Amino acid sequence: MNARKERLDVAAGEDTSHILSGLTNQLPDRDPEETAEWVESLDALIREQGTERAQYIMRSLLQRAGAQSVGVPMVTTTDYVNTIPVDQEAQFPGNEEYERRYRAYMRWNAAVMVHRAQRPEIGVGGHISTYAGAATLYEVGFNHFFRGKDAPGGGDQVFFQGHASPGMYARAFMEGRLSEEDLDGFRQEKSKEGHALSSYPHPRLMPNFWEFPTVSMGIGPMNAIYQAQNNRYLHNRGLKDTSDQQVWAFLGDGEMDEPESRGLLQLAANENLDNLNFVINCNLQRLDGPVRGNGKIMQELEAFFRGAGWNVIKVVWGREWDDLLTRDTDGSLVKIMNETPDGDYQTYKAESGGFVREHFFGKTPQTKDLVADLSDDEIWNLKRGGHDYRKVYAAYKAATEFKGKPTVILAKTVKGYGLGPHFEGRNATHQMKKLTLDDLKKFRDHLRIPVSDEQLEKDPYRPPYYHPGTDAPEIKYLLERRAALGGSVPERRSKHSDIELPEAKSYEVAKRGSGKQQAATTMAFVRLLKDLMRDKNFGKHIAPIIPDEARTFGMDAFFPTAKIYNPKGQNYLSVDRDLVLAYKESAQGQLIHPGINEAGAVAAFTAAGTAYATHGVPLVPVYVFYSMFGFQRTGDAFWAAADQMTRGFIIGATAGRTTLTGEGLQHADGHSPLLASTNPAVVTYDPAYGYEMGHIVRDGLERMYGHDSTDRNLMYYLTVYNEPIVQPAEPENLDVEGVLKGIYKLADSPAEGPKSQILASGVSVPWALEAQRILAEDWGVSADVWSVTSWNELRRDGLAAEEEAFLNPGKDTREPFVTRQLAGAQGPVVAVSDYMKAVPDQIRQFIPNEFATLGADGFGFSDTRAAARRYFKNDTHSIVVKTLQLLAAKDEVDGNAPAQAIEKYRLLNVNAGTTGNAGGES
């Protein structure tokens, strides 16, 4: 004990200036007597006229001091006390006793559900401690703030902390939405199908329950910010009145270490998103230990959010501290509160009231006297603010009424609150998934649950759930509160207003080709998108999302017409106002322009692509990103988008490893289709021509919003290039099925001779056509060219066919589509793309012909397109040589032909490459 006391005393004596506001500690007090008089005057003002008047006087003085050039620092952190003074707390309107009762039931049922799921024959885990500590934060919201779908305006959007999901299930059980059998299906989604609950908030797994996936740390905060923005976007564009909707995001203090958690705060402040509320559960612990053992995470977050332009409300102490703080006339208690690091606060909650008396209050004679009349139990029951429903209610009410800024509520809690000494505040509490029999009894006693010792002892692995019955007054009250607020939360509804898909003429621009002009596939797509946006019925539903590269993609043409969304409009004189393609912002703008911000762009994409469910108003986001900065940089966010069942188009512009000639290693994308293939909701295409894109986009819209679609929740990923070519018109009798399923024959060889097949995608299709000509003219080889619009979809189809055969032995099953398409195609196959060889290699197992791949493996670099393609050996002449090599191995051409071709075309000389052009226009 003495060793521990010495450690605590040392910790408390360390320099703690980094966790204080530092308003006066850098300046000398040259007249303490005068200072005391000023402080006494302020105290008198507070006593006589209250804190609200004192706030106004202080702000006026600070404003005047600034005008007089008196150096007053910004107050980034306040004392470690509640932001809302006691005399300004809103009156709690609920029935405290009823709410306490069923909050206890929910905490019990949540813990029991996880405990039962951890019994030996199941062992699927779960998290007990997060909800135990956050129950008050949630219940105040459920009882008084969170509006359901039937509320006027459509209700609120609530992002629940992922690890707290057992608490939401426990509430749904109280409301009659879930049964005991459902609770026993926690984390057993296939073995208990029909009565299964997902581990975390997963809309895709529970599409009528969860609305937002949040367990991937940092993505919840981003998506909540852009959800609030999307609400305003819908409102300002006249698509839906969202003025009465609030967005709530429940986060952990450890979660705020994620760069994504803090990285987009400025957007919420810049756009005055006062419809957004962050609630950060500050239990001072991350998964393995304290968040800031030597510091104060609440103070750090207060400074960070205030500096980012947010309204900050701290809920540090419960009502039991009010009297002590009132009697702390010399500030000794507040000083100790300010100086005590979080590591010590965590230790106090794992000890006892006597320990707190000695090591916290015992630091000064004044504070020791403050609690002299309190018993050790009373000291132990001095609650943290996040467990006091009056304090939390006052904070939520102030947040929802605050105008002009988003609000963050920092609520101090104890992780594992009420679960007993083995759990509360322990470093390992996050990983603890079951309770001992003694823990169960103490937890039951703490919550006053009417479950007997005999019931617990009968089977410690299956303690009973508790529900008092639907006729119990507290349950009637619970249901009345939810009915008054518009129904249950969370709830997801996918029914939406009808959307009229584009008319056929909107796709004509894609079919026409580019005539004599050259146009890259990026420009072909932009022209198609422009006509889709002009469609009188459908166009308003498109939400183009373009980070700071619109001019690179040739999308600056949208600026003066569709305009860039800015809720404040454009209140400056634009430098390019006289240009035809002037930069134009508007509160009614259609283009979402996140800036240099791929993470924010995907969050905006997710919010827009799920508006059909969150708001019943379909939006079709079209996110255009630069090179590899889509799936490589934000793959986790796209995974969350898939979980949330986002629908929309992802356009990988300046795609390919060799097309972006001057940008070098980090911009040479040779692998994004492989990354995209890991996301089951992403349908990936690598089109070569505009007419292919027209059919792909039409098919995507039909699958997302067509009346006959059965698989709607898809994201279409199209790779497009910045290398201009003459875009051909759509051929007659085009194999549209082949375009959509992934492969069609583009050109039969006119030559007679040994047969071969060239499969190419995207920008490599013109190289294949040139190789076809050279093979015929120089070597007498007949090579047919196939356009592979999707290696990924061909593989998925092939694997599905194999699975069907695997599960139906002895029966006739279908062939993979690519196998059927190539049936009768003679000779070896050379597959080529501007991606690494693994991309076309995806279909190797489904092709009986001899098969070889050419691609761009390795890191990219800056050089001409021709040199890069010659270096990677995926250019026109490499296709020729590889084809000859395969034919020579079969004795169908002279055995010396490959070596002769290598010498003839100087294949080993990067300066001899001729494939492609130097054009860079989109």
Side-chain angles (χ1 to χ4, degrees):
M1 185 69 171
N2 289 335
R4 295 188 70 181
K5 181 179 187 305
E6 180 181 355
R7 186 202 63 76
L8 282 168
D9 289 345
V10 169
E14 290 175 353
D15 178 18
T16 54
S17 61
H18 62 294
I19 57 179
L20 305 177
S21 60
L23 283 176
T24 60
N25 61 346
Q26 298 295 319
L27 299 172
D29 187 354
R30 303 193 189 282
D31 192 341
E33 187 174 340
E34 183 184 22
T35 302
E37 290 175 0
W38 280 96
V39 171
E40 186 179 339
S41 297
L42 177 62
D43 289 344
L45 174 65
I46 295 171
R47 278 195 309 272
E48 293 170 14
Q49 299 193 48
T51 56
E52 187 175 1
R53 178 61 181 162
Q55 283 177 344
Y56 183 81
I57 294 297
M58 288 301 299
R59 289 177 185 232
S60 297
L61 290 172
L62 287 170
Q63 187 171 311
R64 184 61 178 168
Q68 295 291 326
S69 299
V70 175
V72 179
M74 175 185 176
V75 182
T76 55
T77 57
T78 57
D79 284 323
Y80 201 60
V81 295
N82 296 341
T83 301
I84 300 175
V86 175
D87 66 334
Q88 290 188 39
E89 287 179 8
Q91 188 74 26
F92 182 77
N95 185 313
E96 294 183 21
E97 176 55 27
Y98 284 173
E99 293 186 25
R100 185 207 64 76
R101 282 190 213 168
Y102 59 73
R103 188 168 66 250
Y105 307 156
M106 291 172 198
R107 293 179 62 212
W108 171 263
N109 289 331
V112 165
M113 180 184 71
V114 174
H115 177 81
R116 287 166 69 123
Q118 191 59 18
R119 62 189 184 274
E121 68 272 23
I122 302 296
V124 293
H127 297 282
I128 295 177
S129 295
T130 297
Y131 178 71
T136 297
L137 301 179
Y138 285 115
E139 280 306 301
V140 170
F142 276 120
N143 293 319
H144 304 286
F145 293 95
F146 304 159
R147 290 166 294 186
K149 298 290 186 187
D150 294 325
D156 298 336
Q157 288 93 43
V158 185
F159 290 72
F160 294 97
Q161 195 176 359
H163 292 123
S165 63
M168 310 314 122
Y169 295 140
R171 171 169 260 274
F173 174 60
M174 287 286 109
E175 294 178 7
R177 301 172 68 196
L178 297 177
S179 66
E180 288 193 15
E181 189 176 0
D182 295 328
L183 297 188
D184 275 344
F186 180 57
R187 291 191 168 196
Q188 299 152 73
E189 295 169 54
K190 298 301 179 186
S191 58
K192 297 288 179 66
E193 193 165 359
H195 294 280
L197 303 180
S198 62
S199 54
Y200 302 121
H202 290 307
R204 185 169 283 273
L205 299 177
M206 296 179 66
N208 298 317
F209 192 88
W210 294 114
E211 230 180 342
F212 306 106
T214 53
V215 80
S216 188
M217 301 293 183
I219 290 181
M222 291 195 304
N223 284 355
I225 290 170
Y226 277 86
Q227 183 63 54
Q229 185 206 48
N230 185 257
N231 289 8
R232 293 282 168 84
Y233 174 82
L234 285 166
H235 185 86
N236 288 336
R237 289 192 55 213
L239 297 174
K240 185 193 175 192
D241 182 356
T242 63
S243 58
D244 196 33
Q245 294 184 282
Q246 294 272 325
V247 176
W248 298 83
F250 285 80
L251 315 167
D253 49 359
E255 181 178 2
M256 300 311 292
D257 282 348
E258 285 283 5
E260 294 89 346
S261 296
R262 304 193 193 191
L264 298 174
L265 300 184
Q266 81 286 343
L267 173 83
N270 290 346
E271 297 196 4
N272 305 117
L273 296 178
D274 50 21
N275 59 340
L276 174 65
N277 310 289
F278 275 17
V279 180
I280 301 182
N281 177 19
C282 296
N283 55 36
L284 316 184
Q285 291 180 242
R286 53 165 74 102
L287 305 189
D288 287 333
V291 180
R292 296 290 183 271
N294 295 319
K296 299 176 94 64
I297 186 61
M298 290 186 76
Q299 302 296 82
E300 176 187 318
L301 293 175
E302 177 185 23
F304 199 93
F305 276 87
R306 183 168 283 125
W310 286 52
N311 174 44
V312 181
I313 300 174
K314 289 192 298 189
V315 185
V316 189
W317 307 112
R319 71 191 79 169
E320 297 84 1
W321 291 85
D322 290 345
D323 177 62
L324 296 178
L325 287 165
T326 299
R327 293 192 285 115
D328 180 37
T329 53
D330 66 351
S332 298
L333 177 57
V334 172
K335 185 174 187 294
I336 291 173
M337 289 174 167
N338 285 339
E339 294 177 348
T340 301
D342 284 354
D344 282 344
Y345 278 122
Q346 183 186 347
T347 298
Y348 295 148
K349 292 312 296 181
E351 294 292 341
S352 66
F355 189 92
V356 175
R357 181 193 301 276
E358 179 181 358
H359 294 284
F360 182 76
F361 291 106
K363 290 178 179 177
T364 70
Q366 297 94 316
T367 50
K368 190 171 184 178
D369 287 344
L370 275 177
V371 295
D373 295 333
L374 300 183
S375 67
D376 287 352
D377 285 343
E378 287 173 319
I379 289 177
W380 186 245
N381 287 324
L382 291 169
K383 288 197 295 289
R384 293 182 178 179
H387 301 302
D388 187 325
Y389 38 85
R390 293 186 192 175
K391 303 292 186 184
V392 173
Y393 177 85
Y396 286 8
K397 192 168 194 302
T400 56
E401 293 176 353
F402 192 89
K403 299 302 178 188
K405 292 181 180 181
T407 293
V408 60
I409 296 166
L410 306 173
K412 189 176 183 181
T413 64
V414 179
K415 194 166 188 175
Y417 182 68
L419 290 174
H422 293 123
F423 282 80
E424 282 194 9
R426 300 290 176 181
N427 281 338
T429 189
H430 185 78
Q431 285 77 20
M432 296 167 71
K433 305 176 187 305
K434 60 184 178 181
L435 301 107
T436 66
L437 180 60
D438 186 54
D439 288 331
L440 284 167
K441 290 180 177 179
K442 288 179 178 176
F443 189 40
R444 172 205 60 190
D445 294 342
H446 172 73
L447 297 175
R448 291 173 261 177
I449 305 295
V451 171
S452 67
D453 284 354
E454 183 181 15
Q455 288 175 286
L456 296 178
E457 292 164 359
K458 181 180 179 183
D459 184 353
Y461 284 108
R462 297 180 69 94
Y465 299 113
Y466 180 74
H467 194 299
T470 54
D471 291 333
E474 60 268 34
I475 300 302
K476 288 182 176 179
Y477 171 88
L478 176 152
L479 295 174
E480 287 168 1
R481 292 304 310 137
R482 286 314 316 157
L485 288 166
S488 293
V489 174
E491 181 189 8
R492 182 180 180 275
R493 297 179 184 177
S494 57
K495 184 176 175 57
H496 56 76
S497 59
D498 289 336
I499 181 170
E500 190 172 333
L501 294 179
E503 299 177 1
K505 66 179 182 181
S506 296
Y507 298 100
E508 287 177 2
V509 66
K511 294 186 176 189
R512 288 199 295 266
S514 60
K516 295 181 180 179
Q517 291 183 328
Q518 289 190 328
T521 49
T522 300
M523 182 53 70
F525 176 79
V526 169
R527 289 172 178 171
L528 171 61
L529 179 62
K530 192 171 186 179
D531 279 9
L532 291 173
M533 290 173 66
R534 286 173 172 168
D535 188 284
K536 62 180 184 296
N537 295 314
F538 176 78
K540 64 185 178 184
H541 294 282
I542 297 177
I545 301 168
I546 315 164
D548 206 20
E549 292 280 3
R551 297 184 194 279
T552 303
F553 308 142
M555 299 183 76
D556 46 345
F558 293 178
F559 290 168
T561 52
K563 301 183 178 63
I564 297 158
Y565 173 71
N566 187 327
K568 299 178 182 178
Q570 184 166 313
N571 301 312
Y572 59 89
L573 196 62
S574 175
V575 67
D576 61 358
R577 62 192 178 279
D578 294 329
L579 299 181
V580 174
L581 302 183
Y583 194 83
K584 184 64 176 176
E585 298 178 79
S586 168
Q588 293 76 44
Q590 191 167 359
L591 276 67
I592 298 171
H593 196 284
I596 305 173
N597 178 4
E598 289 85 5
V602 181
F605 175 81
T606 303
T610 54
Y612 72 92
T614 50
H615 291 291
V617 178
L619 289 176
V620 180
V622 180
Y623 169 32
V624 187
F625 65 76
Y626 186 85
S627 184
M628 66 177 68
F629 300 132
F631 285 93
Q632 175 164 305
R633 183 167 292 190
T634 53
D636 195 15
F638 276 121
W639 193 263
D643 193 348
Q644 199 169 323
M645 292 178 282
T646 305
R647 304 173 187 173
F649 291 89
I650 307 158
I651 310 301
T654 55
R657 182 146 278 162
T658 68
T659 59
L660 200 56
T661 52
E663 297 292 337
L665 182 149
Q666 193 174 354
H667 294 70
D669 180 15
H671 54 279
S672 285
L674 284 181
L675 297 178
S677 74
T678 64
N679 191 320
V682 175
V683 181
T684 303
Y685 285 96
D686 187 26
Y689 301 125
Y691 67 79
E692 294 175 351
M693 284 191 287
H695 287 287
I696 291 165
V697 170
R698 180 196 55 76
D699 180 66
L701 290 173
E702 289 286 349
R703 290 181 72 181
M704 293 172 202
Y705 289 106
H707 293 297
D708 300 327
S709 178
T710 56
D711 186 13
R712 299 177 179 277
N713 302 314
L714 301 166
M715 298 175 281
Y716 268 51
Y717 170 41
L718 280 66
T719 52
V720 296
Y721 301 86
N722 73 329
E723 183 170 359
I725 62 171
V726 173
Q727 292 287 333
E730 181 176 312
E732 291 186 22
N733 303 315
L734 175 68
D735 178 6
V736 175
E737 180 189 30
V739 171
L740 299 180
K741 289 192 173 181
I743 184 171
Y744 70 99
K745 184 181 280 191
L746 179 64
D748 286 306
S749 174
E752 298 291 335
K755 289 296 295 181
S756 63
Q757 310 296 322
I758 304 173
L759 276 57
S761 70
V763 74
S764 69
V765 169
W767 320 341
L769 292 171
E770 178 66 5
Q772 180 190 59
R773 182 189 66 78
I774 294 172
L775 282 165
E777 294 179 0
D778 291 2
W779 305 97
V781 169
S782 173
D784 298 335
V785 174
W786 301 74
S787 178
V788 179
T789 53
S790 180
W791 307 101
N792 291 26
E793 288 305 295
L794 291 177
R795 176 170 179 77
R796 284 179 177 172
D797 172 79
L799 292 176
E802 284 188 347
E803 179 79 357
E804 185 180 333
F806 167 55
L807 297 176
N808 296 277
K811 296 181 181 179
D812 290 335
T813 53
R814 70 178 180 86
E815 279 188 308
F817 181 77
V818 66
T819 309
R820 193 167 79 244
Q821 284 286 83
L822 290 170
Q826 299 174 16
V829 170
V830 175
V832 60
S833 78
D834 203 29
Y835 297 96
M836 57 194 301
K837 295 183 181 72
V839 173
D841 244 9
Q842 292 181 94
I843 66 170
R844 180 186 289 266
Q845 73 200 69
F846 309 114
I847 295 178
N849 310 50
E850 190 175 0
F851 188 92
T853 57
L854 299 175
D857 285 59
F859 289 110
F861 52 85
S862 295
D863 212 315
T864 65
R865 291 183 179 125
R869 290 160 188 171
R870 177 54 54 95
Y871 171 84
F872 284 120
K873 305 298 182 291
N874 68 338
D875 62 347
T876 292
H877 295 116
S878 296
I879 298 171
V880 171
V881 171
K882 177 59 74 172
T883 303
L884 293 174
Q885 185 182 62
L886 295 176
L887 289 170
K890 298 172 65 175
D891 294 328
E892 295 190 18
V893 298
D894 189 316
N896 295 320
Q900 293 170 357
I902 288 174
E903 183 176 357
K904 176 181 177 68
Y905 305 124
R906 295 186 293 161
L907 198 70
L908 303 183
N909 182 350
V910 297
N911 292 306
T914 60
T915 299
N917 59 56
E921 297 299 321
S922 57

